[in-house]
Amino acid sequence: MADINGWEAIILLVLGVVILGPERLPEYAAKLGRLVRQARAMAEGAKGQLREQMGPEFDDINWRQYDPRQYDPRRIVREALLDPSPTETAAAAAAAVPTYSTTLPTRDPLKPTPFDVDAT
């Protein structure tokens, strides 16, 4: 989960001892352990509730596709930059922009802005 190497863990432990002190450290470690257990129980409860509500479709879901670790920003940018036909994409986007008729009435800037009493 957390990408912490050995040295970072040692530094965090030393900081915890210094900041909390050796008297209060076991108390806070126990509280952290309870918090982690409660979070896991809540996650399992939510997963069980979702499985119960979805029924057999729950087992058919490919959970790996929803894993946020697979979304590497560098890969996404690289694929976007190496897109073989950016002009076709731009042409399709330009075609999707709605065009407005030139026969629409334009507002005279010298007149006051229209106000609808019933709209507010």
Side-chain angles (χ1 to χ4, degrees), residues 71-86:
Y71 298 110
D72 181 22
R74 293 172 292 196
R75 180 184 53 83
I76 294 170
V77 169
R78 188 179 324 115
E79 288 175 358
L81 291 176
L82 296 178
D83 188 18
S85 58

Side-chain angles (χ1 to χ4, degrees), residues 38-53:
Q38 287 176 350
R40 282 186 182 171
M42 284 180 23
E44 287 298 321
K47 188 175 179 181
Q49 185 178 7
L50 185 64
R51 176 175 275 135
E52 177 183 311
Q53 290 176 354

Side-chain angles (χ1 to χ4, degrees), residues 15-61:
L15 279 174
V17 170
V18 170
I19 292 173
L20 297 175
E23 303 87 28
R24 293 186 295 175
L25 189 62
E27 174 188 345
Y28 284 102
K31 285 182 181 181
L32 179 64
R34 280 193 300 272
L35 177 71
V36 168
R37 282 191 294 278
Q38 287 176 350
R40 282 186 182 171
M42 284 180 23
E44 287 298 321
K47 188 175 179 181
Q49 185 178 7
L50 185 64
R51 176 175 275 135
E52 177 183 311
Q53 290 176 354
M54 287 187 66
E57 294 92 22
F58 183 81
D59 296 327
D60 296 336
I61 295 175

